[in-house]
Amino acid sequence: MAATEDHTTTEATRSAYYVTTPIYYVNDRPHLGHAYTTVAGDVLTRWHRQRGENVWYLTGTDEHGQKIMRTAEANGVTPQEWCDKLVEEAWKPLWQHLNIANDDFIRTTQQRHTDRVQEFVQDLHDKGEIYKGGYSGPYCVGCEEYKLPGELLPGATEDEKLCPIHKRPVEWLEEENYFFRLSAYGPKLLDFYAANPDFIAPASARNEVLRFVEQGLQDLSISRSTFNWGVPLPWDEKHVLYVWVDALQNYITAAGYGADPERFAELWPASVHLVGKDILRFHAVIWPAMLMAAGLPLPKRVVANGWLMVGGEKMSKSNLTGISPTDLTSHFGVDAYRYYFLRAIPFGTDGSFSWEDFTARYTSELANDFGNLASRVAAMVGKYFEGALPAATAAGPAEQAVVDGLARAAAEADRKIGEELDFAGGIAAIFEFVKLVNGYLTEQEPWKVAKDTSEEGQARLATILYTAAEALRATAVLLNPVMPTASGKLWESLGAQDSLGALADQTIATVADWGRLPAGTTVTKGDILFPRLEEKPAS
Ligand code: MSP
């Protein structure tokens, strides 16, 4: 049974900035680790949308394979029922909750995927890239997996070997499988990496892949005949396709491969595949080799993020450290959640989550530096000018420093977030600017200037408040990709919607053009952007 299609189309024909996340296994519910990549992709795509580009953001779910089949069996339902339930009850609602603006959601059980996957592998088979071979090796029934001899534990007798996980004897199994001639692609891949030094990032990930491929590649077993929850091989239906070979193709099947040539030309090759570092080889070795074999262009970049760690280990459901994102958003809110992980952990390295660090950043950066600035400025425009933004008629060097600071922050954030995927660096640049504006207000002391009722005094006061409000206008635009809700509230409180239009339509190219917010705009004191946190809930 195929799941309902979810596929939206676009009118645009310009070549797209196409970003993907890994498609997540639906054997369990999402945890912080999954949300980390998806939020990063969302910030990247929202940034590029504000660059005025034609952006397409894809996420989805990986639904075949033994892991899912067994979970379904253990829960007394069919694999498809299990997947439908998890996708609808856990995965899609989480992305909605976290404000993820994906354009499409692909499920590998959808017919738009499975039909194309069959055509793709048939094509490789026809081209002689796939051959039938045998595989024999120690097999653990508990794991349903071939083991490597080196990982086995000694058993009771000299001949007996134990599975390291189940501690039970493994069996010797021989099976007929189909193989993809991956070994033939080593030299071609190395040439490709050399010609495209930015293909894999960060540098540590690139080096790891180079070392791996330089050692020589083995052909890849791409079929399984011991279970049937997968895409059948069109030429031999006793076999289903190895789940990874099926899953990787989501990036092209969702883009219209084999179904909509115009759309495919617009989207493919992908601009960025975001992946966790544990699945780098699949994306930077196997996937490019499959595409080369099919004669298709290769993605432009594969960017690997590090792991979120708990107690020094990768956070995961299987070791019971998988924290649900909603455990944090219920306390800190969605915007702060989106902000925290990207700000606190340099993208590409591992990082630990700590409640204390999150609380500290929330309070000092979001509530004090940013939230207070927004509410103070709105309150002063209300108090001294009855909410009508005054014009800046007496600008001097202090104001010029704010104008220059904005130009610097915008350029740096655009380079770091938009190009380098250095989210922490880009957000830091924007917050440097927020700090600069706070410093400007502290120095200019508008609350004191307000007492000077001379024309000059009032002109200074007007100039200071205009400068601060205009700086907030730009801050809302720059932070919108990271924190769309708080930025939207700020936009509303500045009355910017009426004069400048929707926040999401503001471009990065014009963000530093000083003076966009017109004088006379109605500024209102909106909601507090980052309210004081409640006590930490008892764990
Ligand atoms: N289904 C495959 C991906 C197929 S893509 C064609 C898969 N799924 S997964 O659900 O197990 O993992 C998806 C992603 O989540 C991986 O990129 C993985 O690195 C990431 N994470 C899982 N735990 C993580 C952390 N603790 N920290 C950061 N990311 C981690 O693999």
Side-chain angles (χ1 to χ4, degrees):
M1 186 182 84
T4 19
E5 299 246 340
D6 216 346
H7 171 197
T8 38
T9 50
T10 176
E11 300 281 313
T13 47
R14 285 182 295 155
S15 118
Y17 188 78
Y18 175 27
V19 180
T20 68
T21 71
I23 51 171
Y24 301 99
Y25 286 129
V26 288
N27 58 308
D28 215 331
R29 291 172 179 272
H31 60 66
L32 299 185
H34 307 121
Y36 181 55
T37 316
T38 309
V39 168
D42 192 59
V43 171
L44 183 66
T45 57
R46 284 175 188 263
W47 192 274
H48 279 263
R49 280 196 187 105
Q50 286 191 224
R51 276 184 171 187
E53 292 168 20
N54 169 25
V55 180
W56 195 259
Y57 185 29
L58 175 70
T59 191
T61 43
D62 191 350
E63 305 188 2
H64 289 131
Q66 267 160 306
K67 185 144 81 170
I68 303 221
M69 194 178 81
R70 294 181 150 219
T71 309
E73 272 166 13
N75 285 275
V77 293
T78 66
Q80 189 67 62
E81 284 167 342
W82 177 261
C83 295
D84 291 348
K85 182 178 153 70
L86 266 274
V87 167
E88 295 305 329
E89 291 178 9
W91 289 84
K92 283 186 173 175
L94 177 68
W95 301 147
Q96 214 163 14
H97 174 66
L98 294 179
N99 241 324
I100 304 301
N102 53 302
D103 297 286
D104 194 1
F105 188 102
I106 183 129
R107 302 180 51 184
T108 54
T109 51
Q110 287 169 334
Q111 209 178 337
R112 64 164 164 153
H113 176 76
T114 54
D115 282 358
R116 301 290 89 73
V117 164
Q118 285 196 318
E119 288 163 14
F120 184 97
V121 288
Q122 180 70 58
D123 179 43
L124 292 197
H125 188 248
D126 295 346
K127 287 178 166 145
E129 297 284 349
I130 291 173
Y131 64 92
K132 197 173 196 173
Y135 195 87
S136 60
Y139 191 81
C140 170
V141 181
C143 296
E144 288 277 27
E145 187 182 32
Y146 284 104
K147 296 283 161 188
L148 297 171
E151 64 184 324
L152 300 176
L153 304 174
T157 65
E158 204 176 313
D159 289 341
E160 193 177 78
K161 296 279 182 268
L162 306 181
C163 163
I165 294 168
H166 292 87
K167 312 278 187 299
R168 284 204 300 261
V170 291
E171 297 164 30
W172 193 263
L173 219 74
E174 293 193 18
E175 204 185 5
E176 267 193 338
N177 280 339
Y178 287 92
F179 287 79
F180 168 53
R181 297 186 194 281
L182 181 63
S183 59
Y185 286 90
K188 291 179 201 155
L189 286 168
L190 290 171
D191 287 349
F192 179 78
Y193 304 144
N196 298 276
D198 296 332
F199 177 60
I200 305 165
S204 53
R206 176 181 155 81
N207 291 338
E208 185 208 307
V209 169
L210 289 184
R211 277 198 306 275
F212 176 71
V213 178
E214 278 160 2
Q215 282 168 12
L217 298 172
Q218 308 268 319
D219 287 350
L220 178 73
S221 159
I222 58 141
S223 74
R224 300 288 184 267
S225 56
T226 49
F227 64 95
N228 64 2
W229 181 236
V231 179
L233 296 186
W235 65 89
D236 186 347
E237 301 223 336
K238 290 193 300 295
H239 292 252
V240 292
L241 193 60
Y242 175 40
V243 63
W244 267 103
V245 174
D246 161 3
L248 286 162
Q249 291 179 60
N250 88 88
Y251 304 126
I252 56 171
T253 60
Y257 165 74
D260 184 344
E262 215 173 290
R263 198 176 125 75
F264 189 59
E266 177 195 339
L267 290 177
W268 195 258
S271 307
V272 181
H273 285 324
L274 291 176
V275 302
K277 65 176 188 179
D278 49 331
I279 58 171
L280 178 64
R281 285 182 195 173
F282 290 102
H283 286 83
V285 180
I286 294 175
W287 179 226
M290 284 166 58
L291 289 166
M292 282 176 175
L296 290 172
L298 270 48
K300 294 191 186 120
R301 288 170 86 188
V302 176
V303 180
N305 62 253
W307 287 336
L308 299 187
M309 312 287 279
V310 175
E313 298 252 359
K314 177 184 174 213
M315 178 183 299
S316 77
K317 284 278 175 182
S318 51
N319 65 19
L320 301 178
T321 55
I323 301 169
S324 164
T326 52
D327 291 345
L328 300 186
T329 58
S330 59
H331 185 71
F332 295 100
V334 167
D335 270 356
Y337 177 92
R338 293 170 57 102
Y339 171 83
Y340 171 71
F341 289 99
L342 294 180
R343 173 67 191 88
I345 303 166
F347 205 63
T349 63
D350 294 347
S352 291
F353 154 74
S354 109
W355 195 275
E356 291 67 29
D357 186 46
F358 198 160
T359 305
R361 283 190 186 273
Y362 181 98
T363 305
S364 84
E365 294 163 15
L366 296 181
N368 293 348
D369 290 353
F370 177 41
N372 276 353
L373 175 65
S375 52
R376 274 158 73 212
V377 172
M380 287 191 281
V381 176
K383 185 166 168 192
Y384 304 128
F385 294 95
E386 290 171 350
L389 185 67
T393 53
E399 285 68 37
Q400 190 57 45
V402 176
V403 176
D404 295 345
L406 171 59
R408 263 199 320 274
E412 197 172 331
D414 192 30
R415 179 168 47 80
K416 292 198 160 155
I417 297 177
E419 297 299 324
E420 298 168 5
L421 280 72
D422 171 6
F423 299 100
I427 297 171
I430 302 167
F431 270 75
E432 272 307 304
F433 177 63
V434 170
K435 273 207 178 108
L436 187 146
V437 179
N438 274 313
Y440 166 77
L441 282 183
T442 309
E443 268 170 31
Q444 300 303 318
E445 301 182 306
W447 46 91
K448 282 193 187 157
V449 178
K451 291 183 186 140
D452 176 355
T453 54
S454 72
E455 210 173 296
E456 253 171 46
Q458 289 304 297
R460 268 309 295 158
L461 178 64
T463 301
I464 298 166
L465 292 184
Y466 180 84
T467 303
E470 171 64 354
L472 283 171
R473 187 271 312 158
T475 307
V477 175
L478 292 171
L479 286 178
N480 188 45
V482 184
M483 298 187 284
T485 305
S487 306
K489 284 183 183 167
L490 174 56
W491 196 247
E492 216 177 289
S493 108
L494 293 170
Q497 175 85 26
D498 292 341
S499 46
L500 298 175
L503 175 57
D505 294 338
Q506 308 303 307
T507 63
I508 302 298
T510 58
V511 68
D513 292 353
W514 192 258
R516 289 180 61 78
L517 191 62
T521 293
T522 306
V523 176
T524 47
K525 203 163 185 247
D527 291 350
I528 292 188
L529 298 184
F530 297 97
R532 267 173 73 98
L533 294 172
E534 307 282 321
E535 288 295 299
K536 178 181 174 182
S539 48

